[in-house]
Amino acid sequence: MVAVETSPNSSPSAEWVSCLDKRPAERSGEDVDIILTRLKGVKAFRRFCPSLLLQICSCAFYEYLEKGITLFRQGDIGTSWYAVLSGSLDVKVSETANHQDAVTICTLGIGTAFGESILDNTPRHATIVSRETSELLRIEQREFKSLWEKYRQSMAGLLAPPYGAMESGSNNDRLADKDSLGSDSLSLMNKSLNKVPSEKLQRGGKVMRNAILSRAPHMIRDRKYHLKTYRCCCVGTELVDWLVQQSTCVHTRSHAVGMWQALLEEGVLNHVDQELGFQDKYLFYRFLDDEEEDTPLPSEEEKRESEEELPETILFLAQIGPDALLRMILRKPPGQRTGDDLEIIYDELLHIKALSQLSNTVKRELASVLIFESHAKAGTVLFNQGEEGTSWYIIQKGSVNVVIYGKGVVCMLHEGDDFGKLALVTDSPRAASIVLREDNCHFLRVDKEDFNRILRDVEANTVRLKEHEQAVLVLEKSPRASTLGNIKYTVMSGTPEKILDHFLETMRMDTHHSDPDPAVDDFVLMHCVFMPNSQLCQLLMQERMEYAVTCKRRVLNLAMRWAAVHTYYLQEEPAALTFLEELYGSVSNDSRILRALKDFVPDLEKVVKLQCQKVLLRQFSNGDERLAKKQPIRNSDDILLKVYCSDHTYTTIRVAVAATGREVTSAVGDKLASNEDLLLVHLSSAGEKHVLKPSDVSVFSTLSINGRMFACPRDQLNALTPLPDQEGPSAGSMSSFELMSSKDLAYQMTLFDWELFSCVHEHELLYHTFGRLSFRRTTANLDLFIRRFNQVQLWVVTEVCLCGQLSKRVQLLKKFIKIAAHCREFKNLNSFFAIIMGMSNPAVSRLTQTWEKLPSKFKKFYAEFESMMDPSRNHRAYRLTVTKIEPPIIPFMPLLLKDMTFSHEGNKTFIDNMVNFEKMRMIANTIRAVRHCRSQPFNPDVCQPNKNHAEVRGYVRKLCVIDNQRTLTTLSYRLEPRRT
């Protein structure tokens, strides 16, 4: 199950950790199933046979590393084998005995396995240091040797040589001419990519041809061009037109081009002159079946079968099409790439972790020079240790071994990892050899000349402003000049004061403050990370004292935009309110003399009046307040919070929303007249205890769905047990909602989700990403929205697992698929994904008897919906879907949070004591995506509810769920026991 939680131990995913922490002899069958579910999502284990994977689940351990921890040093005798489950680790190698001389040769990412040297007790070849907080799976030497003896054949192809299998290969297997991309080398690439057309693509081509002959037979006919006749051909533009009309999963014309390109790469579709790229132009293409003159037309039976298979075939091609399109573009010589081509490559580069620390300008430059390179054979040596560095590589598909003379394989690199840059930067020989671990590996390559040119261009276009010999502002010349022909500069980094000065000096005055320059909007959104409001207000007031009218107008423009973004947050900061009042008074006086300031007075007056707000009292519980229309929870609000004791009695306290753990325990102690030191504990329904820190902020919103807050002395911690009502329902509610219309249910869910989504302040996304403790701010509205996603997901699992009758379970699956379809219709992607993820939960997906009874029509709907969850290429399927939808949209929030975390963790906030504003810009872009989703109001009249709308409304706002994965798994096995 994919779930997002605000507390590390409140997530159902934490359950697999507790299972791994048990001694192997104490693990039950359910423990092994929970571990197995987690490991199936890790690349290193995808190709292990089921019996081997079960053995690993039975003997492996969990290891957690903070950032900067040395796992082992070069020369140590190994005791364990490891696989990376999350995070990343640096591989450091030293040529001397001094570990200080170690050089980082690569980084190990998720899915990487290492440590096979324990098979023959050889010393470790490298030092491994955690690059960030990381989770590892560890297998001790004795168990690993036992697995090796028993499953040698299965593991040989997965472990690094010399223990694993390695086919011989040499540099002769490389492309004949890596610097040339003429037709010969392109042909060689195609052969190396796909030696034999896959059966699925061959069948897909036949289905597409038969469907065209059935639905639009005029498309395949003889064509004449320049006095030459081309037999049985289609036209590229017509093929694209036809495909776009067939299914909603074909998002754009370029998406359709990629789908036809996938068939063309396999030789199932061919250009009449053997060109290797499909084009949306008046060019002729012929299906493989039409190459022979006497090929008969499909029979009626074949047409009927193809019609049945067409949705599944289009779905399959839609999944592989984007990759085929990218390969086609990358094969073009750089000089022939169009603007659209460069945007597609650039979009791909945005989501490659190896490039996360590069500026967007550099990524755009890379898009124009990247070369696609592929190799067919495992064992091929990409380059040897000691050779001159000529290229930098990023792995797009497959994996490689990093080999050092005398030490063997020191690590493996996988998709998304990069290598070879060090030799280019330092102009030194290659530090290691790179050998392909598997067949059919794809790389993105940047050659040395282009690499150095980009570095030179970046340096040439960079302006550094210094004070007292220290850089205070770094600007980069924009490759795109302004409409007036003036040179534009982009802020890359700087001190907070100089960044503010720059934006005030360069601010365009031809735009209204409600529609600001994007660069100014970046500053207004992100300044709280590096410049608190008190400092900003002080600096703006100083600027306001300038005599120039233009300067005053710029300050007012920025101040109005700042107030519009912060909204009610300003009420909680006395310095901000004082600044606004003084600014209003000053502008009112100045406007009598300076007419240019008169337009600002009414808007500024409205902003100042916003401060007249009362502190609200909110009760956060599981009661009927969920039926009321949601209002944003503010930092200054008070809440009534139930805190339980070890004997299950409780006390109700009134605290501020942003109250810390220390403030909550103090309030509980006062209420109970207790002088003991109390711990504040989040207790989940599974009995997992998470002790909250005294400094934790807004602790109430960290509760999981069925979690409860306990306060107890330390000696009572182990005695805490969940309340009976934390277990969740014991019977399903199908009888309540099976008579409700699926559309009404989806509508009311969307209405509720929109209320929750509308309450989320943009800055809560920042606080969630950078840590709300740094800001002493609540993220309660965001937490509730995420909690709703998990609740809907668990509602699906709970209802299915509590339904004992097979026929009723089948009806439930159909109902949920219908509700999901209507959620998508209402553009509620958050609940849409929650429902589909609930259906893919192991407790539901393992119910094979239930799924077998599901009608094929619903299976196809579910397959299409599930394809939108495809995480490959950074959830490209979802992102393409969103681009086609107009607001209002309720987005898939976990993915937006993931994007922000990716930008945050992959880039430093400060560089050389200056703010890394490029990072601020990247995160601001994600926040603007949220803003875009809410840029149009939600129309509640989009669906006229039925008479029982109050009943439906009450039901969807009070979903009762089981949030214990172990309990859900147990219920699932009772419904359909494990087959022997």
Side-chain angles (χ1 to χ4, degrees):
M1 177 180 66
V2 175
V4 177
E5 296 282 350
T6 51
S7 171
N9 286 340
S10 64
S11 167
S13 63
E15 197 166 11
W16 68 271
V17 176
S18 61
C19 295
L20 279 171
D21 282 340
K22 292 182 180 179
R23 294 176 182 174
E26 296 175 353
R27 293 176 193 170
S28 65
E30 290 176 13
D31 292 333
V32 170
D33 284 334
I34 291 169
I35 300 169
L36 181 64
T37 300
R38 174 66 175 86
L39 297 192
K40 280 182 176 178
V42 180
K43 196 165 192 174
F45 301 107
R46 285 178 189 168
R47 290 183 293 168
F48 280 112
C49 62
S51 56
L52 171 58
L53 203 48
L54 282 170
Q55 289 287 319
I56 290 174
C57 293
S58 301
C59 69
F61 293 91
Y62 173 81
E63 189 130 344
Y64 177 85
L65 299 180
E66 295 283 357
K67 179 180 179 180
I69 299 298
T70 299
L71 185 65
F72 53 73
R73 293 191 181 277
Q74 182 178 335
D76 291 351
I77 299 299
T79 59
S80 298
W81 176 83
Y82 299 88
V84 185
L85 301 179
S86 72
S88 58
L89 302 100
D90 285 331
V91 179
K92 298 175 178 283
V93 174
S94 173
E95 296 297 330
T96 68
N98 187 355
H99 295 299
Q100 302 298 321
D101 299 335
V103 176
T104 301
I105 61 170
C106 62
T107 300
L108 306 177
I110 296 171
T112 310
F114 59 96
E116 297 90 346
S117 61
I118 59 174
L119 287 171
D120 53 11
N121 294 318
T122 55
R124 298 293 195 189
H125 303 311
T127 298
I128 305 293
V129 181
S130 55
R131 186 184 182 91
E132 58 189 309
T133 300
S134 303
E135 294 177 296
L136 307 179
L137 190 81
R138 177 172 61 85
I139 301 179
E140 294 181 348
Q141 185 179 36
R142 186 179 65 179
E143 283 71 23
F144 190 77
K145 283 186 173 181
S146 174
L147 292 174
W148 172 250
E149 291 301 321
K150 190 172 181 182
Y151 297 99
R152 180 189 297 263
Q153 191 170 357
S154 297
M155 297 174 75
L158 298 170
L159 301 186
Y163 314 104
M166 178 190 269
E167 294 184 24
S168 60
S170 69
N171 289 327
N172 296 329
D173 292 319
R174 301 186 197 181
L175 294 177
D177 182 3
K178 293 184 357 179
D179 296 317
S180 167
L181 279 174
S183 59
D184 290 341
S185 59
L186 281 173
S187 176
L188 178 59
M189 276 190 193
N190 271 346
K191 289 176 183 175
S192 70
L193 278 171
N194 305 296
K195 285 192 166 185
V196 181
S198 69
E199 291 181 8
K200 193 166 186 179
L201 272 167
Q202 279 186 326
R203 179 59 189 167
K206 194 178 288 289
V207 167
M208 297 291 274
R209 172 182 177 267
N210 291 348
I212 289 174
L213 288 170
S214 175
R215 297 183 177 193
H218 64 278
M219 287 174 57
I220 302 178
R221 66 179 190 272
D222 294 348
R223 312 269 182 170
K224 283 188 178 181
Y225 188 72
H226 284 188
L227 304 179
K228 185 176 179 180
T229 300
Y230 296 89
R231 193 181 51 77
C232 294
C233 292
C234 308
V235 173
T237 50
E238 291 180 3
L239 286 173
V240 172
D241 289 339
W242 180 82
L243 190 51
V244 168
Q245 294 168 5
Q246 302 309 306
S247 173
T248 56
C249 67
V250 184
H251 304 292
T252 60
R253 293 188 71 83
S254 64
H255 190 192
V257 168
M259 294 164 70
W260 289 118
Q261 175 65 23
L263 293 176
L264 190 136
E265 283 182 350
E266 292 288 349
V268 178
L269 181 74
N270 295 298
H271 183 266
V272 292
D273 289 333
Q274 303 306 307
E275 290 187 13
L276 296 167
F278 184 91
Q279 296 187 61
D280 186 6
K281 294 182 178 179
Y282 191 80
L283 298 176
F284 298 156
Y285 297 91
R286 185 183 294 123
F287 283 99
L288 183 63
D289 285 349
D290 292 319
E291 294 288 351
E292 301 294 332
E293 291 191 17
D294 56 351
T295 304
L297 292 173
S299 65
E300 290 304 315
E301 177 65 19
E302 287 174 324
K303 287 182 180 180
R304 186 186 60 77
E305 289 177 356
S306 294
E307 284 291 333
E308 290 179 358
E309 294 179 40
L310 184 62
E312 188 178 343
T313 299
I314 291 177
L315 186 59
F316 168 64
L317 291 173
Q319 291 170 337
I320 65 174
D323 287 342
L325 178 66
L326 182 65
R327 286 195 297 271
M328 180 183 77
I329 292 170
L330 288 168
R331 287 182 188 132
K332 293 181 182 180
Q336 294 180 15
R337 293 172 188 169
T338 66
D340 288 341
D341 291 343
L342 295 177
E343 282 300 316
I344 289 171
I345 301 173
Y346 172 70
D347 187 59
E348 180 77 11
L349 301 186
L350 286 175
H351 307 299
I352 295 177
K353 192 169 186 178
L355 306 180
S356 62
Q357 295 192 29
L358 300 179
S359 73
N360 289 342
T361 303
V362 172
K363 287 172 189 168
R364 288 194 179 277
E365 288 287 325
L366 286 175
S368 65
V369 300
L370 276 171
I371 296 172
F372 179 80
E373 184 173 324
S374 66
H375 296 277
K377 287 283 189 180
T380 299
V381 179
L382 206 58
F383 55 72
N384 283 304
Q385 183 178 345
E387 290 181 352
E388 179 190 358
T390 59
S391 300
W392 169 36
Y393 294 86
I394 300 160
I395 304 175
Q396 192 189 26
K397 176 186 174 186
S399 59
V400 299
N401 289 316
V402 180
V403 182
I404 293 180
Y405 294 147
K407 297 177 180 176
V409 176
V410 294
C411 67
M412 292 170 282
L413 301 176
H414 294 273
E415 182 180 315
D417 294 330
D418 72 312
F419 56 89
K421 185 165 60 174
L422 182 65
L424 302 190
V425 172
T426 61
D427 205 23
S428 57
R430 297 293 194 188
S433 299
I434 299 294
V435 184
L436 269 64
R437 291 189 68 243
E438 54 190 288
D439 291 343
N440 199 21
C441 290
H442 300 176
F443 303 92
L444 303 178
R445 191 184 88 229
V446 182
D447 290 335
K448 186 173 185 177
E449 184 179 339
D450 293 320
F451 182 85
N452 289 335
R453 179 185 58 76
I454 290 172
L455 291 183
R456 284 197 305 269
D457 289 350
V458 168
E459 189 60 33
N461 290 323
T462 299
V463 178
R464 289 179 174 83
L465 304 182
K466 294 185 177 182
E467 289 183 356
H468 307 295
E469 299 303 316
Q470 291 290 321
V472 292
L473 187 67
V474 179
L475 305 173
E476 188 174 82
K477 190 185 294 181
S478 175
R480 302 166 184 175
S482 72
T483 54
L484 299 176
N486 297 325
I487 295 174
K488 292 182 66 177
Y489 287 92
T490 301
V491 176
M492 303 306 295
S493 60
T495 63
E497 297 83 357
K498 289 300 176 183
I499 292 174
L500 174 61
D501 287 346
H502 174 79
F503 285 131
L504 287 174
E505 289 171 10
T506 59
M507 185 186 295
R508 290 165 50 198
M509 297 308 296
D510 57 344
T511 59
H512 192 261
H513 57 75
S514 61
D515 183 26
D517 184 323
V520 175
D521 196 45
D522 293 337
F523 176 84
V524 170
L525 273 172
M526 301 299 300
H527 78 83
C528 60
V529 174
F530 54 86
M531 178 189 283
N533 278 327
S534 55
Q535 183 184 358
L536 176 64
C537 293
Q538 184 180 354
L539 291 170
L540 287 178
M541 210 59 201
Q542 291 171 4
E543 293 284 346
R544 172 76 188 82
M545 302 308 290
E546 293 286 336
Y547 291 106
V549 176
T550 302
C551 182
K552 293 177 186 287
R553 290 189 66 211
R554 284 173 174 161
V555 169
L556 285 168
N557 237 335
L558 191 138
M560 293 300 295
R561 184 61 199 155
W562 166 74
V565 168
H566 282 260
T567 60
Y568 57 82
Y569 273 22
L570 297 182
Q571 300 161 24
E572 300 159 12
E573 297 201 33
L577 293 177
T578 301
F579 164 71
L580 287 171
E581 288 169 354
E582 290 180 3
L583 187 65
Y584 173 60
S586 175
V587 171
S588 298
N589 291 331
D590 288 350
S591 65
R592 295 168 188 166
I593 305 169
L594 305 172
R595 296 176 63 87
L597 303 182
K598 207 165 187 178
D599 292 344
F600 289 95
V601 176
D603 290 339
L604 197 52
E605 184 179 11
K606 290 177 187 176
V607 171
V608 172
K609 286 182 177 178
L610 275 175
Q611 64 177 292
C612 304
Q613 297 283 338
K614 295 180 180 178
V615 173
L616 301 178
L617 172 65
R618 300 172 192 272
Q619 179 176 349
F620 184 85
S621 66
N622 294 321
D624 291 339
E625 82 284 352
R626 282 177 294 184
L627 297 182
K629 182 174 172 58
K630 292 293 176 185
Q631 299 294 328
I633 298 174
R634 306 181 181 188
N635 241 46
S636 56
D637 292 344
D638 281 358
I639 57 164
L640 295 177
L641 180 64
K642 281 185 180 179
V643 182
Y644 291 84
C645 301
S646 57
D647 61 358
H648 289 188
T649 59
Y650 68 87
T651 184
T652 302
I653 58 172
R654 176 173 175 165
V655 291
V657 163
T660 62
R662 182 181 292 105
E663 289 165 343
V664 171
T665 52
S666 175
V668 171
D670 291 346
K671 195 80 178 283
L672 298 177
S674 170
N675 294 322
E676 291 185 278
D677 289 335
L678 299 177
L679 298 177
L680 194 62
V681 184
H682 169 217
L683 185 65
S684 73
S685 60
E688 295 167 344
K689 306 174 186 73
H690 175 54
V691 179
L692 298 167
K693 297 176 184 176
S695 57
D696 284 345
V697 179
S698 193
V699 293
F700 83 97
S701 65
T702 65
L703 286 172
S704 59
I705 295 167
N706 290 344
R708 297 292 184 269
M709 196 72 75
F710 280 73
C712 68
R714 184 171 293 278
D715 58 5
Q716 294 181 14
L717 179 62
N718 293 332
L720 295 183
T721 57
L723 303 168
D725 68 347
Q726 286 186 252
E727 295 177 6
S730 57
S733 61
M734 186 180 178
S735 58
S736 300
F737 78 89
E738 66 178 337
L739 298 178
M740 298 176 187
S741 155
S742 299
K743 191 168 187 176
D744 285 351
L745 284 163
Y747 171 74
Q748 290 295 341
M749 290 171 73
T750 301
L751 205 59
F752 187 41
D753 288 357
W754 182 257
E755 288 178 16
L756 293 171
F757 180 46
S758 298
C759 290
V760 178
H761 195 284
E762 290 176 353
H763 279 168
E764 288 187 65
L765 301 168
L766 279 182
Y767 304 152
H768 177 91
T769 303
F770 286 86
R772 59 190 175 192
L773 186 59
S774 308
F775 302 93
R776 279 298 306 260
R777 292 283 190 174
T778 184
T779 56
N781 300 293
L782 178 60
D783 295 340
L784 290 177
F785 188 47
I786 295 170
R787 174 188 167 104
R788 175 63 177 180
F789 175 87
N790 292 335
Q791 185 181 43
V792 171
Q793 189 179 170
L794 287 165
W795 168 59
V796 173
V797 187
T798 300
E799 292 299 332
V800 172
C801 290
L802 288 177
C803 185
Q805 193 175 337
L806 177 59
S807 60
K808 289 282 189 183
R809 283 202 303 279
V810 174
Q811 292 303 313
L812 261 179
L813 292 184
K814 289 169 63 177
K815 186 83 170 178
F816 285 130
I817 290 170
K818 288 178 183 178
I819 295 171
H822 288 302
C823 282
R824 187 173 72 163
E825 178 189 339
F826 294 139
K827 297 183 278 192
N828 181 358
L829 301 180
N830 207 57
S831 280
F832 168 78
F833 273 96
I835 292 169
I836 300 305
M837 287 182 177
M839 296 178 74
S840 65
N841 183 287
V844 177
S845 62
R846 65 164 297 278
L847 299 173
T848 52
Q849 296 173 38
T850 308
W851 285 97
E852 285 169 0
K853 297 284 186 183
L854 188 67
S856 59
K857 180 177 78 170
F858 284 90
K859 287 180 182 175
K860 288 176 181 175
F861 283 142
Y862 177 70
E864 180 187 340
F865 295 163
E866 201 174 29
S867 72
M868 286 179 61
M869 286 176 18
D870 180 12
S872 64
R873 293 290 181 268
N874 196 36
H875 297 269
R876 192 206 305 263
Y878 166 78
R879 296 181 195 278
L880 284 171
T881 300
V882 173
T883 59
K884 292 182 68 176
I885 304 176
E886 294 296 323
I889 305 166
I890 304 177
F892 178 34
M893 186 56 77
L895 184 56
L896 289 168
L897 295 177
K898 176 190 168 188
D899 287 345
M900 293 184 67
T901 302
F902 177 85
S903 299
H904 172 50
E905 295 182 350
N907 299 273
K908 294 179 180 179
T909 302
F910 295 93
I911 300 174
D912 299 330
N913 296 319
M914 293 184 290
V915 178
N916 179 4
F917 204 75
E918 181 72 7
K919 171 178 177 174
M920 303 299 124
R921 189 175 294 111
M922 293 162 64
I923 294 175
N925 283 336
T926 304
I927 296 177
R928 270 193 287 271
V930 175
R931 184 185 295 170
H932 171 73
C933 292
R934 299 191 292 205
S935 60
Q936 295 296 323
F938 177 69
N939 180 10
D941 299 325
V942 69
C943 167
Q944 293 297 328
N946 291 333
K947 293 179 181 178
N948 65 339
H949 70 92
E951 183 184 356
V952 178
R953 182 174 185 273
Y955 177 80
V956 301
R957 293 175 183 237
K958 286 186 172 184
L959 300 178
C960 297
V961 304
I962 298 170
D963 67 351
N964 184 341
Q965 184 64 40
R966 184 187 295 276
T967 302
L968 293 167
T969 303
T970 302
L971 290 169
S972 176
Y973 277 107
R974 287 178 188 167
L975 296 175
E976 294 185 22
R978 188 198 303 268
R979 293 180 179 178
T980 56

